[in-house]
């Protein structure tokens, strides 16, 4: 059961700083963030902590599994079913989903869905590449198969670029944690608190 929900607003918009801006999406009233807005977004992102000490590869995989189970359950009609499932509203059910992420999350998502059919350590993901996965059996985790090429980039002008895989990092075999990554300078003594979904908010003085 959901107990806490946080709501945030986007950062400082570029049109608040200058009238000379171009919409990246082609929508008339859709300015990008100003440099200050990007800084605000980074400060907000820094409060969302999985752990100040990082995660092992197994922990990243388990977190991905948990996300998929919660997300797909909701999309396919949890309790209550999503508006998109309401036939009376004239909206069809979702049959295809596009998930966008960084290389690491693309790899763990593929591993979660395909299970033992793929070796996560061998997967490499390039920029704007796509992995197509089709349902093969009942359930969710391990119930999908890869159709075509993992991390397909055949439709891109320059093909695979800036590909990355977990073998590109040195991992301690006993702990599964990254070796020789010193993290963000100055953060080594920060308190590792991940309560309330990871978001740490200042105590209200009101």
């Amino acid at each position: 059961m959901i107990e806490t929900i946080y709501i945030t607003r986007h950062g400082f918009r570029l049109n608040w700083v200058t009238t000379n801006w171009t919409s990246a999406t082609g929508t008339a009233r859709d300015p990008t963030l100003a440099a200050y807005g990007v800084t605000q977004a980074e400060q907000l992102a820094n409060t969302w902590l999985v752990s100040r000490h990082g995660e092992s590869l197994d922990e990243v995989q388990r977190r991905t599994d948990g996300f998929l189970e919660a997300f797909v359950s909701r999309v396919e009609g949890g309790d209550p079913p999503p508006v998109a499932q309401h036939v009376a509203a004239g909206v069809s059910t979702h049959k295809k989903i596009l998930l966008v992420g960084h290389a690491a999350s693309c790899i763990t998502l593929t591993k979660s869905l395909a299970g033992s059919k793929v070796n996560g350590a061998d997967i490499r993901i390039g920029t704007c590449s796509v992995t197509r996965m089709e349902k093969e059996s009942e359930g969710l985790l391990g119930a999908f198969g890869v159709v075509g090429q993992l991390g397909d980039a055949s439709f891109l002008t320059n093909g695979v670029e800036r590909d990355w895989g977990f073998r590109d990092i040195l991992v301690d075999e006993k702990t599964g944690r990254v070796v020789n990554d010193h993290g963000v300078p100055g953060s080594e003594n920060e308190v590792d608190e991940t309560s309330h979904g990871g978001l740490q908010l200042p105590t209200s003085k009101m």
Side-chain angles (χ1 to χ4, degrees):
M1 180 178 68
I2 297 176
E3 295 182 349
T4 305
I5 296 176
Y6 296 102
I7 301 173
T8 186
R9 185 187 179 192
H10 61 74
F12 214 85
R13 293 172 10 181
L14 185 58
N15 67 320
W16 294 343
V17 178
T18 177
T19 58
N20 184 23
W21 59 274
T22 302
S23 173
T25 62
T27 304
R29 297 186 178 182
D30 190 20
T32 58
L33 294 179
Y36 177 60
V38 173
T39 299
Q40 288 180 311
E42 290 172 346
Q43 292 172 346
L44 172 64
N46 286 336
T47 67
W48 284 88
L49 313 177
V50 175
S51 170
R52 299 302 292 170
H53 301 298
E55 295 174 288
S56 68
L57 299 187
D58 285 342
E59 289 168 342
V60 174
Q61 191 65 63
R62 287 196 297 271
R63 184 158 58 89
T64 302
D65 290 350
F67 159 75
L68 276 173
E69 289 176 325
F71 176 74
V72 173
S73 173
R74 183 69 182 93
V75 170
E76 290 189 339
D79 184 18
V83 174
Q85 294 265 346
H86 293 174
V87 178
V91 182
S92 62
T93 58
H94 296 290
K95 293 185 178 181
K96 297 181 180 180
I97 294 175
L98 173 65
L99 299 174
V100 182
H102 291 284
S105 58
C106 289
I107 292 171
T108 55
L109 283 165
T110 301
K111 176 62 177 174
S112 293
L113 293 169
S116 61
K117 294 188 286 291
V118 299
N119 183 352
D122 291 335
I123 299 175
R124 300 191 65 81
I125 299 296
T127 53
C128 274
S129 61
V130 174
T131 298
R132 178 181 174 182
M133 310 197 71
E134 296 285 351
K135 192 74 174 289
E136 293 182 339
S137 59
E138 293 299 316
L140 173 62
L141 302 182
F144 286 72
V146 177
V147 177
Q149 180 68 37
L150 268 169
D152 179 33
S154 61
F155 56 91
L156 295 174
T157 301
N158 295 320
V160 176
E161 295 182 284
R162 300 291 295 184
D163 57 313
W164 184 93
F166 281 116
R167 293 193 187 280
D168 291 340
I169 57 177
L170 181 60
V171 176
D172 186 301
E173 293 183 358
K174 293 182 178 179
T175 65
R177 294 187 179 277
V178 178
V179 178
N180 292 332
D181 186 337
H182 302 292
V184 179
S187 66
E188 58 272 14
N189 295 319
E190 293 182 7
V191 179
D192 184 16
E193 295 179 321
T194 58
S195 60
H196 305 294
L199 182 60
Q200 302 301 313
L201 298 176
T203 302
S204 173
K205 297 181 180 180
M206 295 180 64

